[in-house]
Amino acid sequence: MGPPPLTIPLVTPPPHIPPQAPQSPPAMGLLSDPHCRRALARLIVRLNTPLCVLSYVLGLGWFLALAFPPLAPRTYMSENAMGSTMVEEQFSLGERALALARDFATHKKKAGGMPTAWLEKTMWSLGLEVHQQQFSHTLPFPDESRERYLVRGTNVYGILRAPRAASTEALVLSTGCAPGPHNNQAVGLLLALAAYFRGQIYWAKDIIFLINEHDLLGMEAWLEAYHDVNITAVRSSGPLGRAGAIQAAISLELSSDVVTSFDVAVEGLNGQLPNLDLLNLFNAFCQKNGLLCTIQGKLQRSDWDSLPAYARSLQTLLLMVLAQASGRPRGEHGLFLRYRIEALTLRGINSFRQYKYDLSTVGKTLEGMFRKLNNLLERLHQSYFFYLLPSLSRFVSIGVYMPAFGFLILVLILRALDLWMKLNRTDPGSSEQLSDSNHGPSTTEAPRLLALVPPVLVCHAAGLALYYLPVLGQSVATQHFPVSEAEAVVLTLIAIYVAGMALPHSTHRVLGGPGSAAAARGWMVLKLLALLYLAAQLTALALLNFSLGFLLAVTMVPAAAATAPTGPRVLLALVLVLATPAVTLLLGIFLERELVEAPAAPGEAWQRFLGALGQGLLLHHLHGAFLYPLLALGTYPCWLLLWNVLFWD
């Protein structure tokens, strides 16, 4: 029999399914429905105040929770080249460091300042390539401490050329020549380390040993000359001897023969921070050599689960926020960060603690750090650049602390949405009024935007006057009042600041007409503009300096949200005055003194407040700090807009 015949089954084609349009997410579908949009608008308007209060409380609560261990994990080393501290430090020139410190103090006293000739001779004898830099800088007004207009100084530095590389990369160890006995031991230790490093053959990077004069001014002059830029109009002499591209820098401050602990400063100019790995490296070698190390002057506790440990962590966190918000470098390392150079300042503390450490132990710690930095194959980049520190062994990353700021900014957004919906309502039969008062108009007439131009121009003109006039008008003030130049600048600044509150802000009545609907709704448009302006400013600022943006948001957001010409005007005026940036600075001074357990009396706090104003001006004109122009040209005009809203008739 043959094979059975092959049968082919009939395949029924699938039914035709017409293509469906892609479905939008449920939220988009709700927003596309006009009834849902209207219901959402009514909900936001009705619950606006409770939502704003809830958002503000959540922002403060989130920030206070940052000191808890779940939100502040332990630090760890991200850079593979520095992952282990298995380095055998052999520095034993502590006695030589003390002898060099005594010689330096003697020659400094004899020269009445920087003993340039002795430093050059000593560095040459150690086998370094020695250079000096003379610089001068004219101050915009005399500083309060020394009453000087023109600053002249000299920087001396020696370069240890790497025997195993082609001078393409470098490290810096620096210290300052200060008047009196301050920092003599730091100079002695720096020279002793140079002598020890000169005898080693494993260096793959040049090492620069820098002794600068006049603190930040000398460091700024050296950095600008080294990188061949002129940011602050400092004048220096001749070309500098250069090494490789600087990878990292350590600034040392030491004024005693023994130390009980080291305090590390990380905050730089405009609140910049070094890579977290550099701080972790210092902490690791301190633990290895048994050195006590602190941050913000606070020693971390081991019992992290206790309430006292949380209080200590919160104190340290708040001190760092205040220091970063000031924008002032907490050490000479702060100017290196502008040039993408990771740097720290290490301060030796000699307190009443029982355990003391000599310069040999300190030298071993610095030797280990430089040997680890010598192993770097590239710049530090794998760890965090944006962080907060409740202690040296724990950190809070940017992804954890930014929600606290986001909740505060949400208050401004909710208030702006509330005003926007009230201004764009088209239902004339609704019982809700366009004004917060019971007799406010409910018309939908568009506000005359021309009425908003004069207040905006006047507020920003006041900001320009606050920025330029204190320095430009100091000579006129000294001629008519018995004050010094520095006092004239600060008092002029305060006078312009207060005068801005007394400017006539009623030009809208001339343009809009008394009692017109456009004038009645004009304050809502002006407040909407001020809220969006403030939200944009604070958001951009928080990305550069979180601490400054957060502190301004904590004080200004409640006042900005509550300001209206229809409420209790005296109470709202008091709240708005307390929210001004100047009062925020004064309150920050009181808080800082409380946190360091040295409370300030009102008179002392006022003197510190005046000094902070003068130092802020000098820091901007000498080093390019952006805090003063930001407050004068941005935050202060925005606050004046809110002041206009409050007194809108």
Side-chain angles (χ1 to χ4, degrees):
M1 297 178 59
L6 183 63
T7 60
I8 301 177
L10 297 177
V11 179
T12 304
H16 176 68
I17 301 177
Q20 298 182 357
Q23 297 183 356
S24 59
M28 297 298 294
L30 291 175
L31 292 179
S32 61
D33 187 355
H35 299 286
C36 292
R37 287 203 308 269
R38 193 175 298 113
L40 181 61
R42 285 196 294 265
L43 182 65
I44 292 178
V45 172
R46 186 178 300 111
L47 300 179
N48 191 268
T49 299
L51 289 176
C52 289
V53 173
L54 178 62
S55 181
Y56 187 79
V57 172
L58 285 176
L60 292 183
W62 190 287
F63 178 80
L64 295 177
L66 295 179
F68 280 112
L71 296 180
R74 289 190 174 275
T75 57
Y76 56 91
M77 198 75 71
S78 300
E79 183 64 47
N80 293 329
M82 300 193 306
S84 173
T85 56
M86 298 301 293
V87 175
E88 184 179 356
E89 302 87 8
Q90 299 177 351
F91 179 80
S92 59
L93 302 181
E95 293 299 325
R96 185 174 181 181
L98 291 177
L100 288 169
R102 288 190 291 267
D103 290 345
F104 174 75
T106 301
H107 286 84
K108 183 173 69 172
K109 185 177 181 180
K110 186 184 301 182
M114 171 85 83
T116 305
W118 180 85
L119 284 173
E120 288 186 337
K121 179 181 177 181
T122 304
M123 287 186 175
W124 277 115
S125 66
L126 297 178
L128 303 181
E129 178 186 319
V130 185
H131 303 272
Q132 72 166 264
Q133 175 205 16
Q134 297 179 353
F135 65 92
S136 62
H137 202 300
T138 303
L139 305 185
F141 58 92
D143 57 347
E144 186 179 359
S145 58
R146 301 177 186 175
E147 291 293 335
R148 54 185 181 177
Y149 264 117
L150 181 63
V151 178
R152 298 180 184 272
T154 305
N155 297 325
V156 179
Y157 63 101
I159 302 175
L160 174 61
R161 298 292 179 182
R164 304 171 65 90
S167 295
T168 57
E169 297 176 343
L171 305 173
V172 174
L173 177 61
S174 71
T175 189
C177 177
H182 183 67
N183 249 19
N184 291 339
Q185 285 78 3
V187 175
L189 182 58
L190 180 143
L191 295 175
L193 283 169
Y196 176 77
F197 287 179
R198 181 68 178 84
Q200 311 305 315
I201 62 172
Y202 46 68
W203 299 113
K205 294 177 173 59
D206 295 342
I207 302 179
I208 302 173
F209 299 90
L210 169 64
I211 302 174
N212 62 289
E213 197 174 7
H214 298 306
D215 304 325
L216 294 177
L217 289 176
M219 185 60 73
E220 183 69 54
W222 187 82
L223 284 170
E224 288 190 8
Y226 191 88
H227 294 92
D228 196 19
V229 296
N230 193 356
I231 301 175
T232 60
V234 65
R235 297 179 296 275
S236 60
S237 61
L240 287 173
R242 289 180 175 82
I246 302 175
Q247 305 290 301
I250 302 295
S251 181
L252 185 63
E253 296 182 10
L254 189 61
S255 301
S256 61
D257 295 346
V258 294
V259 298
T260 54
S261 63
F262 261 98
D263 188 68
V264 56
V266 296
E267 297 86 3
L269 184 67
N270 295 325
Q272 286 182 278
L273 299 174
N275 190 273
L276 189 57
D277 270 346
L278 186 60
L279 185 65
N280 296 337
L281 181 66
F282 167 71
N283 189 25
F285 273 101
C286 282
Q287 292 180 354
K288 179 182 179 183
N289 294 320
L291 274 174
L292 286 179
C293 51
T294 63
I295 187 167
Q296 311 297 336
K298 301 292 184 181
L299 186 65
Q300 61 184 358
R301 296 174 61 102
S302 57
D303 52 338
W304 276 94
D305 297 333
S306 65
L307 186 60
Y310 167 74
R312 176 68 59 84
S313 300
L314 186 59
Q315 287 179 354
T316 307
L317 187 68
L318 287 173
L319 283 171
M320 180 175 180
V321 167
L322 292 174
Q324 188 183 19
S326 70
R328 178 178 176 80
R330 289 194 64 234
E332 295 176 357
H333 78 283
L335 299 180
F336 282 90
L337 300 176
R338 170 189 286 173
Y339 300 90
R340 186 61 180 84
I341 300 170
E342 311 309 320
L344 295 174
T345 291
L346 309 180
R347 294 189 177 95
I349 308 297
N350 187 11
S351 63
F352 297 101
R353 290 191 177 98
Q354 178 180 0
Y355 299 103
K356 308 282 186 180
Y357 305 94
D358 58 7
L359 295 189
S360 294
T361 306
V362 177
K364 287 182 179 180
T365 302
L366 292 173
E367 176 201 351
M369 292 184 65
F370 272 81
R371 289 183 64 177
K372 279 298 180 181
L373 293 172
N374 183 61
N375 296 334
L376 285 177
L377 301 178
E378 53 189 345
R379 292 182 182 272
L380 291 173
H381 68 283
Q382 296 192 21
S383 192
Y384 293 91
F385 289 95
F386 299 93
Y387 52 86
L388 296 176
L389 295 171
S391 75
L392 268 178
S393 62
R394 293 184 179 272
F395 75 104
V396 182
S397 67
I398 183 174
V400 177
Y401 64 66
M402 281 304 286
F405 177 80
F407 280 120
L408 298 183
I409 294 298
L410 182 60
V411 176
L412 300 179
I413 303 301
L414 288 173
R415 276 301 190 199
L417 285 174
D418 179 40
L419 291 172
W420 177 262
M421 292 173 183
K422 287 180 179 179
L423 288 169
N424 287 275
R425 277 180 43 194
T426 57
D427 186 6
S430 175
S431 60
E432 298 179 4
Q433 301 296 320
L434 287 174
S435 176
D436 287 348
S437 61
N438 295 329
H439 55 276
S442 60
T443 178
T444 59
E445 174 190 355
R448 297 180 61 180
L449 296 181
L450 185 61
L452 305 180
V453 174
V456 173
L457 291 180
V458 169
C459 293
H460 285 82
L464 288 173
L466 185 66
Y467 180 73
Y468 286 107
L469 291 186
V471 175
L472 296 178
Q474 58 177 309
S475 59
V476 178
T478 53
Q479 291 175 2
H480 294 81
F481 300 97
V483 293
S484 64
E485 288 84 353
E487 293 173 338
V489 169
V490 174
L491 294 178
T492 304
L493 188 152
I494 296 176
I496 297 174
Y497 195 96
V498 176
M501 302 166 57
L503 291 175
H505 303 311
S506 57
T507 50
H508 60 277
R509 284 190 278 180
V510 178
L511 296 173
S516 67
R521 301 183 66 203
W523 73 266
M524 302 177 69
V525 181
L526 184 60
K527 183 178 179 180
L528 176 62
L529 174 65
L531 291 178
L532 296 178
Y533 188 24
L534 181 61
Q537 275 191 54
L538 296 180
T539 302
L541 179 59
L543 297 177
L544 300 174
N545 188 337
F546 166 79
S547 299
L548 179 58
F550 181 79
L551 289 181
L552 290 177
V554 167
T555 56
M556 295 189 69
V557 163
T563 298
T566 57
R569 186 165 292 183
V570 176
L571 178 61
L572 291 176
L574 178 61
V575 172
L576 200 56
V577 168
L578 292 178
T580 183
V583 177
T584 302
L585 172 60
L586 184 60
L587 295 178
I589 292 174
F590 277 107
L591 178 60
E592 189 266 342
R593 300 310 299 170
E594 288 290 338
L595 292 174
V596 299
E597 301 176 0
E604 180 188 355
W606 178 253
Q607 292 300 322
R608 289 179 175 271
F609 172 74
L610 296 179
L613 294 179
Q615 289 298 319
L617 272 169
L618 274 179
L619 200 64
H620 167 61
H621 288 283
L622 295 181
H623 305 294
F626 63 61
L627 176 60
Y628 178 67
L630 169 76
L631 296 181
L633 302 176
T635 308
Y636 179 64
C638 186
W639 182 86
L640 284 181
L641 289 177
L642 296 171
W643 188 259
N644 289 344
V645 170
L646 181 62
F647 291 97
W648 191 282
D649 293 330

